[in-house]
Amino acid sequence: MPVVKTECDRRDRGGEITYTGVDPDGELRNCPDCGCEVAVDPEAGEALHVEKE
């Protein structure tokens, strides 16, 4: 299972977030810093916040 390390761009504080056990095809999770939903992409090595309307 892939590991993705990134930072939350919606918080002022720094620090790395580590998502472990990520599905190889990617998955949706909650950001532990801001609580928003993020799409974790192990191929790109990043987690992007998902906008809801």
Side-chain angles (χ1 to χ4, degrees):
M1 294 298 229
V3 174
V4 176
K5 295 183 179 189
T6 188
E7 291 185 5
C8 176
D9 59 359
R10 297 191 176 189
R11 294 285 298 248
D12 292 333
R13 69 178 186 178
E16 192 171 66
I17 301 168
T18 303
Y19 296 96
T20 58
V22 178
D23 187 285
D25 293 328
E27 60 186 68
L28 294 175
R29 293 203 183 174
N30 288 327
C31 176
D33 274 356
C34 70
C36 294
E37 191 172 43
V38 294
V40 183
D41 184 351
E43 288 186 24
E46 63 184 358
L48 301 173
H49 288 82
V50 177
E51 298 293 328
K52 293 184 180 178
E53 292 185 17

